[in-house]
PDB file of all heavy atoms in Angstrom:
ATOM      1  N   ILE A   1      -1.999  -3.434 -10.890  1.00 95.00           N
ATOM      2  CA  ILE A   1      -2.989  -3.740 -11.919  1.00 95.00           C
ATOM      3  C   ILE A   1      -2.765  -5.171 -12.401  1.00 95.00           C
ATOM      4  O   ILE A   1      -1.675  -5.717 -12.239  1.00 95.00           O
ATOM      5  CB  ILE A   1      -2.903  -2.756 -13.108  1.00 95.00           C
ATOM      6  CG1 ILE A   1      -1.510  -2.793 -13.750  1.00 95.00           C
ATOM      7  CG2 ILE A   1      -3.276  -1.354 -12.698  1.00 95.00           C
ATOM      8  CD1 ILE A   1      -1.397  -2.006 -15.023  1.00 95.00           C
ATOM      9  N   THR A   2      -3.819  -5.775 -12.954  1.00 96.00           N
ATOM     10  CA  THR A   2      -3.672  -7.107 -13.539  1.00 96.00           C
ATOM     11  C   THR A   2      -3.602  -6.954 -15.044  1.00 96.00           C
ATOM     12  O   THR A   2      -4.351  -6.188 -15.640  1.00 96.00           O
ATOM     13  CB  THR A   2      -4.850  -8.022 -13.168  1.00 96.00           C
ATOM     14  OG1 THR A   2      -6.059  -7.391 -13.544  1.00 96.00           O
ATOM     15  CG2 THR A   2      -4.866  -8.323 -11.694  1.00 96.00           C
ATOM     16  N   LYS A   3      -2.678  -7.698 -15.639  1.00 93.00           N
ATOM     17  CA  LYS A   3      -2.467  -7.612 -17.080  1.00 93.00           C
ATOM     18  C   LYS A   3      -2.480  -9.025 -17.643  1.00 93.00           C
ATOM     19  O   LYS A   3      -1.834  -9.918 -17.098  1.00 93.00           O
ATOM     20  CB  LYS A   3      -1.120  -6.932 -17.349  1.00 93.00           C
ATOM     21  CG  LYS A   3      -0.895  -6.549 -18.778  1.00 93.00           C
ATOM     22  CD  LYS A   3       0.310  -5.652 -18.904  1.00 93.00           C
ATOM     23  CE  LYS A   3       0.462  -5.191 -20.327  1.00 93.00           C
ATOM     24  NZ  LYS A   3       1.596  -4.314 -20.504  1.00 93.00           N
ATOM     25  N   HIS A   4      -3.221  -9.226 -18.729  1.00 95.00           N
ATOM     26  CA  HIS A   4      -3.293 -10.527 -19.370  1.00 95.00           C
ATOM     27  C   HIS A   4      -2.205 -10.599 -20.440  1.00 95.00           C
ATOM     28  O   HIS A   4      -2.239  -9.859 -21.412  1.00 95.00           O
ATOM     29  CB  HIS A   4      -4.684 -10.734 -19.987  1.00 95.00           C
ATOM     30  CG  HIS A   4      -5.762 -10.736 -18.956  1.00 95.00           C
ATOM     31  ND1 HIS A   4      -6.266 -11.880 -18.429  1.00 95.00           N
ATOM     32  CD2 HIS A   4      -6.400  -9.728 -18.319  1.00 95.00           C
ATOM     33  CE1 HIS A   4      -7.193 -11.585 -17.527  1.00 95.00           C
ATOM     34  NE2 HIS A   4      -7.280 -10.274 -17.446  1.00 95.00           N
ATOM     35  N   MET A   5      -1.235 -11.507 -20.238  1.00 92.00           N
ATOM     36  CA  MET A   5      -0.078 -11.600 -21.116  1.00 92.00           C
ATOM     37  C   MET A   5      -0.204 -12.806 -22.041  1.00 92.00           C
ATOM     38  O   MET A   5      -0.532 -13.904 -21.602  1.00 92.00           O
ATOM     39  CB  MET A   5       1.199 -11.748 -20.286  1.00 92.00           C
ATOM     40  CG  MET A   5       1.448 -10.616 -19.313  1.00 92.00           C
ATOM     41  SD  MET A   5       1.876  -9.076 -20.093  1.00 92.00           S
ATOM     42  CE  MET A   5       3.557  -9.404 -20.532  1.00 92.00           C
ATOM     43  N   LYS A   6       0.075 -12.596 -23.311  1.00 93.00           N
ATOM     44  CA  LYS A   6       0.140 -13.694 -24.271  1.00 93.00           C
ATOM     45  C   LYS A   6       1.461 -14.430 -24.076  1.00 93.00           C
ATOM     46  O   LYS A   6       2.456 -13.805 -23.692  1.00 93.00           O
ATOM     47  CB  LYS A   6       0.120 -13.139 -25.699  1.00 93.00           C
ATOM     48  CG  LYS A   6      -1.224 -13.012 -26.322  1.00 93.00           C
ATOM     49  CD  LYS A   6      -1.027 -12.587 -27.770  1.00 93.00           C
ATOM     50  CE  LYS A   6      -2.290 -12.767 -28.570  1.00 93.00           C
ATOM     51  NZ  LYS A   6      -2.107 -12.289 -29.940  1.00 93.00           N
ATOM     52  N   PRO A   7       1.509 -15.718 -24.369  1.00 93.00           N
ATOM     53  CA  PRO A   7       2.804 -16.403 -24.317  1.00 93.00           C
ATOM     54  C   PRO A   7       3.777 -15.790 -25.333  1.00 93.00           C
ATOM     55  O   PRO A   7       3.405 -15.476 -26.458  1.00 93.00           O
ATOM     56  CB  PRO A   7       2.459 -17.839 -24.698  1.00 93.00           C
ATOM     57  CG  PRO A   7       1.024 -17.989 -24.378  1.00 93.00           C
ATOM     58  CD  PRO A   7       0.413 -16.634 -24.613  1.00 93.00           C
ATOM     59  N   SER A   8       5.016 -15.571 -24.905  1.00 91.00           N
ATOM     60  CA  SER A   8       6.040 -14.998 -25.779  1.00 91.00           C
ATOM     61  C   SER A   8       7.376 -15.662 -25.467  1.00 91.00           C
ATOM     62  O   SER A   8       7.449 -16.561 -24.637  1.00 91.00           O
ATOM     63  CB  SER A   8       6.129 -13.484 -25.560  1.00 91.00           C
ATOM     64  OG  SER A   8       6.572 -13.219 -24.249  1.00 91.00           O
ATOM     65  N   MET A   9       8.427 -15.214 -26.103  1.00 92.00           N
ATOM     66  CA  MET A   9       9.751 -15.796 -25.869  1.00 92.00           C
ATOM     67  C   MET A   9      10.227 -15.524 -24.432  1.00 92.00           C
ATOM     68  O   MET A   9      10.831 -16.379 -23.811  1.00 92.00           O
ATOM     69  CB  MET A   9      10.773 -15.239 -26.865  1.00 92.00           C
ATOM     70  CG  MET A   9      10.523 -15.675 -28.296  1.00 92.00           C
ATOM     71  SD  MET A   9      10.501 -17.451 -28.503  1.00 92.00           S
ATOM     72  CE  MET A   9      12.240 -17.789 -28.545  1.00 92.00           C
ATOM     73  N   GLN A  10       9.964 -14.324 -23.907  1.00 87.00           N
ATOM     74  CA  GLN A  10      10.376 -14.007 -22.545  1.00 87.00           C
ATOM     75  C   GLN A  10       9.477 -14.694 -21.522  1.00 87.00           C
ATOM     76  O   GLN A  10       9.936 -15.156 -20.492  1.00 87.00           O
ATOM     77  CB  GLN A  10      10.341 -12.492 -22.282  1.00 87.00           C
ATOM     78  CG  GLN A  10      11.411 -11.713 -22.988  1.00 87.00           C
ATOM     79  CD  GLN A  10      10.996 -11.262 -24.366  1.00 87.00           C
ATOM     80  OE1 GLN A  10       9.839 -11.408 -24.761  1.00 87.00           O
ATOM     81  NE2 GLN A  10      11.950 -10.744 -25.136  1.00 87.00           N
ATOM     82  N   ASN A  11       8.156 -14.719 -21.792  1.00 85.00           N
ATOM     83  CA  ASN A  11       7.178 -15.298 -20.875  1.00 85.00           C
ATOM     84  C   ASN A  11       6.529 -16.493 -21.577  1.00 85.00           C
ATOM     85  O   ASN A  11       5.503 -16.343 -22.231  1.00 85.00           O
ATOM     86  CB  ASN A  11       6.142 -14.228 -20.486  1.00 85.00           C
ATOM     87  CG  ASN A  11       5.184 -14.720 -19.436  1.00 85.00           C
ATOM     88  OD1 ASN A  11       5.334 -15.800 -18.903  1.00 85.00           O
ATOM     89  ND2 ASN A  11       4.188 -13.915 -19.139  1.00 85.00           N
ATOM     90  N   GLN A  12       7.133 -17.664 -21.433  1.00 89.00           N
ATOM     91  CA  GLN A  12       6.664 -18.853 -22.136  1.00 89.00           C
ATOM     92  C   GLN A  12       5.248 -19.256 -21.708  1.00 89.00           C
ATOM     93  O   GLN A  12       4.463 -19.715 -22.513  1.00 89.00           O
ATOM     94  CB  GLN A  12       7.620 -20.028 -21.869  1.00 89.00           C
ATOM     95  CG  GLN A  12       9.030 -19.807 -22.371  1.00 89.00           C
ATOM     96  CD  GLN A  12       9.152 -20.035 -23.871  1.00 89.00           C
ATOM     97  OE1 GLN A  12       8.403 -20.793 -24.449  1.00 89.00           O
ATOM     98  NE2 GLN A  12      10.107 -19.345 -24.486  1.00 89.00           N
ATOM     99  N   GLN A  13       4.945 -19.074 -20.425  1.00 89.00           N
ATOM    100  CA  GLN A  13       3.672 -19.523 -19.868  1.00 89.00           C
ATOM    101  C   GLN A  13       2.522 -18.593 -20.244  1.00 89.00           C
ATOM    102  O   GLN A  13       1.424 -19.036 -20.514  1.00 89.00           O
ATOM    103  CB  GLN A  13       3.790 -19.609 -18.343  1.00 89.00           C
ATOM    104  CG  GLN A  13       2.655 -20.319 -17.648  1.00 89.00           C
ATOM    105  CD  GLN A  13       2.627 -21.817 -17.964  1.00 89.00           C
ATOM    106  OE1 GLN A  13       3.602 -22.367 -18.446  1.00 89.00           O
ATOM    107  NE2 GLN A  13       1.511 -22.440 -17.706  1.00 89.00           N
ATOM    108  N   GLY A  14       2.754 -17.286 -20.222  1.00 89.00           N
ATOM    109  CA  GLY A  14       1.667 -16.331 -20.432  1.00 89.00           C
ATOM    110  C   GLY A  14       0.834 -16.249 -19.168  1.00 89.00           C
ATOM    111  O   GLY A  14       1.303 -16.533 -18.080  1.00 89.00           O
ATOM    112  N   GLY A  15      -0.438 -15.858 -19.284  1.00 92.00           N
ATOM    113  CA  GLY A  15      -1.334 -15.824 -18.130  1.00 92.00           C
ATOM    114  C   GLY A  15      -1.561 -14.428 -17.592  1.00 92.00           C
ATOM    115  O   GLY A  15      -1.285 -13.434 -18.256  1.00 92.00           O
ATOM    116  N   ILE A  16      -2.076 -14.373 -16.355  1.00 93.00           N
ATOM    117  CA  ILE A  16      -2.420 -13.102 -15.716  1.00 93.00           C
ATOM    118  C   ILE A  16      -1.252 -12.675 -14.832  1.00 93.00           C
ATOM    119  O   ILE A  16      -0.792 -13.427 -13.984  1.00 93.00           O
ATOM    120  CB  ILE A  16      -3.710 -13.240 -14.902  1.00 93.00           C
ATOM    121  CG1 ILE A  16      -4.864 -13.637 -15.829  1.00 93.00           C
ATOM    122  CG2 ILE A  16      -4.027 -11.941 -14.180  1.00 93.00           C
ATOM    123  CD1 ILE A  16      -6.140 -13.982 -15.117  1.00 93.00           C
ATOM    124  N   VAL A  17      -0.785 -11.451 -15.033  1.00 91.00           N
ATOM    125  CA  VAL A  17       0.361 -10.907 -14.304  1.00 91.00           C
ATOM    126  C   VAL A  17      -0.082  -9.668 -13.542  1.00 91.00           C
ATOM    127  O   VAL A  17      -0.813  -8.827 -14.066  1.00 91.00           O
ATOM    128  CB  VAL A  17       1.502 -10.535 -15.286  1.00 91.00           C
ATOM    129  CG1 VAL A  17       2.675  -9.935 -14.556  1.00 91.00           C
ATOM    130  CG2 VAL A  17       1.923 -11.743 -16.094  1.00 91.00           C
ATOM    131  N   ARG A  18       0.367  -9.557 -12.267  1.00 94.00           N
ATOM    132  CA  ARG A  18       0.104  -8.338 -11.486  1.00 94.00           C
ATOM    133  C   ARG A  18       1.363  -7.482 -11.523  1.00 94.00           C
ATOM    134  O   ARG A  18       2.462  -7.970 -11.278  1.00 94.00           O
ATOM    135  CB  ARG A  18      -0.262  -8.683 -10.047  1.00 94.00           C
ATOM    136  CG  ARG A  18      -1.645  -9.283  -9.947  1.00 94.00           C
ATOM    137  CD  ARG A  18      -2.150  -9.496  -8.546  1.00 94.00           C
ATOM    138  NE  ARG A  18      -2.089  -8.374  -7.631  1.00 94.00           N
ATOM    139  CZ  ARG A  18      -2.914  -7.316  -7.622  1.00 94.00           C
ATOM    140  NH1 ARG A  18      -3.861  -7.234  -8.521  1.00 94.00           N
ATOM    141  NH2 ARG A  18      -2.788  -6.366  -6.727  1.00 94.00           N
ATOM    142  N   GLN A  19       1.174  -6.193 -11.866  1.00 94.00           N
ATOM    143  CA  GLN A  19       2.314  -5.279 -11.923  1.00 94.00           C
ATOM    144  C   GLN A  19       1.876  -3.886 -11.524  1.00 94.00           C
ATOM    145  O   GLN A  19       0.685  -3.603 -11.415  1.00 94.00           O
ATOM    146  CB  GLN A  19       2.936  -5.272 -13.319  1.00 94.00           C
ATOM    147  CG  GLN A  19       2.022  -4.752 -14.401  1.00 94.00           C
ATOM    148  CD  GLN A  19       2.639  -4.869 -15.778  1.00 94.00           C
ATOM    149  OE1 GLN A  19       3.353  -5.818 -16.060  1.00 94.00           O
ATOM    150  NE2 GLN A  19       2.352  -3.918 -16.636  1.00 94.00           N
ATOM    151  N   GLU A  20       2.861  -3.018 -11.296  1.00 95.00           N
ATOM    152  CA  GLU A  20       2.585  -1.640 -10.889  1.00 95.00           C
ATOM    153  C   GLU A  20       2.060  -0.833 -12.060  1.00 95.00           C
ATOM    154  O   GLU A  20       2.544  -0.965 -13.176  1.00 95.00           O
ATOM    155  CB  GLU A  20       3.848  -0.965 -10.348  1.00 95.00           C
ATOM    156  CG  GLU A  20       4.342  -1.508  -9.035  1.00 95.00           C
ATOM    157  CD  GLU A  20       5.247  -2.710  -9.167  1.00 95.00           C
ATOM    158  OE1 GLU A  20       5.528  -3.138 -10.304  1.00 95.00           O
ATOM    159  OE2 GLU A  20       5.667  -3.231  -8.122  1.00 95.00           O
ATOM    160  N   GLY A  21       1.085   0.018 -11.777  1.00 95.00           N
ATOM    161  CA  GLY A  21       0.559   0.935 -12.781  1.00 95.00           C
ATOM    162  C   GLY A  21       1.116   2.329 -12.538  1.00 95.00           C
ATOM    163  O   GLY A  21       1.579   2.645 -11.439  1.00 95.00           O
ATOM    164  N   PRO A  22       1.087   3.193 -13.551  1.00 96.00           N
ATOM    165  CA  PRO A  22       1.642   4.541 -13.387  1.00 96.00           C
ATOM    166  C   PRO A  22       0.772   5.419 -12.488  1.00 96.00           C
ATOM    167  O   PRO A  22      -0.442   5.290 -12.463  1.00 96.00           O
ATOM    168  CB  PRO A  22       1.668   5.086 -14.813  1.00 96.00           C
ATOM    169  CG  PRO A  22       0.664   4.280 -15.553  1.00 96.00           C
ATOM    170  CD  PRO A  22       0.593   2.946 -14.901  1.00 96.00           C
ATOM    171  N   ILE A  23       1.438   6.305 -11.739  1.00 96.00           N
ATOM    172  CA  ILE A  23       0.779   7.283 -10.866  1.00 96.00           C
ATOM    173  C   ILE A  23       1.265   8.656 -11.286  1.00 96.00           C
ATOM    174  O   ILE A  23       2.447   8.829 -11.589  1.00 96.00           O
ATOM    175  CB  ILE A  23       1.160   7.067  -9.397  1.00 96.00           C
ATOM    176  CG1 ILE A  23       0.790   5.663  -8.941  1.00 96.00           C
ATOM    177  CG2 ILE A  23       0.493   8.084  -8.503  1.00 96.00           C
ATOM    178  CD1 ILE A  23       1.252   5.366  -7.540  1.00 96.00           C
ATOM    179  N   ASP A  24       0.376   9.638 -11.283  1.00 95.00           N
ATOM    180  CA  ASP A  24       0.790  11.006 -11.610  1.00 95.00           C
ATOM    181  C   ASP A  24       1.740  11.506 -10.536  1.00 95.00           C
ATOM    182  O   ASP A  24       1.559  11.232  -9.340  1.00 95.00           O
ATOM    183  CB  ASP A  24      -0.420  11.917 -11.729  1.00 95.00           C
ATOM    184  CG  ASP A  24      -0.063  13.212 -12.426  1.00 95.00           C
ATOM    185  OD1 ASP A  24      -0.085  13.255 -13.662  1.00 95.00           O
ATOM    186  OD2 ASP A  24       0.253  14.196 -11.716  1.00 95.00           O
ATOM    187  N   ILE A  25       2.735  12.248 -10.945  1.00 95.00           N
ATOM    188  CA  ILE A  25       3.772  12.711 -10.026  1.00 95.00           C
ATOM    189  C   ILE A  25       3.221  13.665  -8.963  1.00 95.00           C
ATOM    190  O   ILE A  25       3.761  13.759  -7.877  1.00 95.00           O
ATOM    191  CB  ILE A  25       4.926  13.345 -10.835  1.00 95.00           C
ATOM    192  CG1 ILE A  25       6.254  12.915 -10.279  1.00 95.00           C
ATOM    193  CG2 ILE A  25       4.845  14.828 -10.901  1.00 95.00           C
ATOM    194  CD1 ILE A  25       7.397  13.102 -11.200  1.00 95.00           C
ATOM    195  N   SER A  26       2.094  14.334  -9.262  1.00 94.00           N
ATOM    196  CA  SER A  26       1.500  15.260  -8.302  1.00 94.00           C
ATOM    197  C   SER A  26       0.809  14.533  -7.155  1.00 94.00           C
ATOM    198  O   SER A  26       0.461  15.159  -6.155  1.00 94.00           O
ATOM    199  CB  SER A  26       0.498  16.173  -9.004  1.00 94.00           C
ATOM    200  OG  SER A  26      -0.591  15.404  -9.490  1.00 94.00           O
ATOM    201  N   ASN A  27       0.603  13.221  -7.278  1.00 95.00           N
ATOM    202  CA  ASN A  27      -0.088  12.453  -6.242  1.00 95.00           C
ATOM    203  C   ASN A  27       0.856  11.781  -5.253  1.00 95.00           C
ATOM    204  O   ASN A  27       0.411  10.969  -4.443  1.00 95.00           O
ATOM    205  CB  ASN A  27      -0.983  11.385  -6.893  1.00 95.00           C
ATOM    206  CG  ASN A  27      -2.130  12.005  -7.640  1.00 95.00           C
ATOM    207  OD1 ASN A  27      -2.499  13.142  -7.393  1.00 95.00           O
ATOM    208  ND2 ASN A  27      -2.692  11.272  -8.567  1.00 95.00           N
ATOM    209  N   VAL A  28       2.146  12.111  -5.296  1.00 96.00           N
ATOM    210  CA  VAL A  28       3.100  11.546  -4.344  1.00 96.00           C
ATOM    211  C   VAL A  28       3.920  12.660  -3.705  1.00 96.00           C
ATOM    212  O   VAL A  28       4.071  13.743  -4.266  1.00 96.00           O
ATOM    213  CB  VAL A  28       4.054  10.517  -5.000  1.00 96.00           C
ATOM    214  CG1 VAL A  28       3.288   9.349  -5.563  1.00 96.00           C
ATOM    215  CG2 VAL A  28       4.911  11.153  -6.057  1.00 96.00           C
ATOM    216  N   MET A  29       4.426  12.366  -2.495  1.00 96.00           N
ATOM    217  CA  MET A  29       5.327  13.292  -1.797  1.00 96.00           C
ATOM    218  C   MET A  29       6.585  12.544  -1.393  1.00 96.00           C
ATOM    219  O   MET A  29       6.533  11.373  -1.004  1.00 96.00           O
ATOM    220  CB  MET A  29       4.677  13.871  -0.541  1.00 96.00           C
ATOM    221  CG  MET A  29       3.806  15.061  -0.780  1.00 96.00           C
ATOM    222  SD  MET A  29       3.263  15.817   0.754  1.00 96.00           S
ATOM    223  CE  MET A  29       4.461  17.113   0.920  1.00 96.00           C
ATOM    224  N   TYR A  30       7.696  13.230  -1.461  1.00 96.00           N
ATOM    225  CA  TYR A  30       8.987  12.667  -1.072  1.00 96.00           C
ATOM    226  C   TYR A  30       9.001  12.422   0.437  1.00 96.00           C
ATOM    227  O   TYR A  30       8.509  13.244   1.219  1.00 96.00           O
ATOM    228  CB  TYR A  30      10.098  13.645  -1.464  1.00 96.00           C
ATOM    229  CG  TYR A  30      11.476  13.166  -1.107  1.00 96.00           C
ATOM    230  CD1 TYR A  30      12.127  12.251  -1.917  1.00 96.00           C
ATOM    231  CD2 TYR A  30      12.116  13.625   0.037  1.00 96.00           C
ATOM    232  CE1 TYR A  30      13.400  11.807  -1.592  1.00 96.00           C
ATOM    233  CE2 TYR A  30      13.381  13.183   0.365  1.00 96.00           C
ATOM    234  CZ  TYR A  30      14.014  12.268  -0.446  1.00 96.00           C
ATOM    235  OH  TYR A  30      15.255  11.821  -0.117  1.00 96.00           O
ATOM    236  N   LEU A  31       9.564  11.278   0.867  1.00 96.00           N
ATOM    237  CA  LEU A  31       9.699  10.976   2.292  1.00 96.00           C
ATOM    238  C   LEU A  31      11.121  11.272   2.742  1.00 96.00           C
ATOM    239  O   LEU A  31      12.079  10.730   2.193  1.00 96.00           O
ATOM    240  CB  LEU A  31       9.381   9.506   2.566  1.00 96.00           C
ATOM    241  CG  LEU A  31       7.924   9.113   2.632  1.00 96.00           C
ATOM    242  CD1 LEU A  31       7.805   7.635   2.943  1.00 96.00           C
ATOM    243  CD2 LEU A  31       7.180   9.914   3.653  1.00 96.00           C
ATOM    244  N   HIS A  32      11.241  12.144   3.743  1.00 95.00           N
ATOM    245  CA  HIS A  32      12.541  12.483   4.313  1.00 95.00           C
ATOM    246  C   HIS A  32      12.486  12.155   5.798  1.00 95.00           C
ATOM    247  O   HIS A  32      11.695  12.748   6.536  1.00 95.00           O
ATOM    248  CB  HIS A  32      12.843  13.967   4.095  1.00 95.00           C
ATOM    249  CG  HIS A  32      14.165  14.397   4.634  1.00 95.00           C
ATOM    250  ND1 HIS A  32      15.348  13.949   4.093  1.00 95.00           N
ATOM    251  CD2 HIS A  32      14.490  15.200   5.664  1.00 95.00           C
ATOM    252  CE1 HIS A  32      16.347  14.489   4.763  1.00 95.00           C
ATOM    253  NE2 HIS A  32      15.843  15.246   5.721  1.00 95.00           N
TER     254      HIS A  32
END
């Protein structure tokens, strides 16, 4: 997902950040 971040102490620049979004646990299967 894309997230618009305000400038902060950790992220001085701010801007648009791409990060993982949550998925329901029922929509994944363990790989063995």
Side-chain angles (χ1 to χ4, degrees):
I1 59 172
T2 55
K3 191 169 184 179
H4 297 263
M5 301 290 284
K6 268 186 166 177
S8 65
M9 292 303 280
Q10 289 89 8
N11 186 6
Q12 298 281 333
Q13 192 68 16
I16 299 172
V17 178
R18 288 187 51 76
Q19 64 185 35
E20 291 86 1
I23 302 175
D24 196 86
I25 222 162
S26 65
N27 292 339
V28 299
M29 276 188 97
Y30 180 80
L31 281 181
H32 181 67

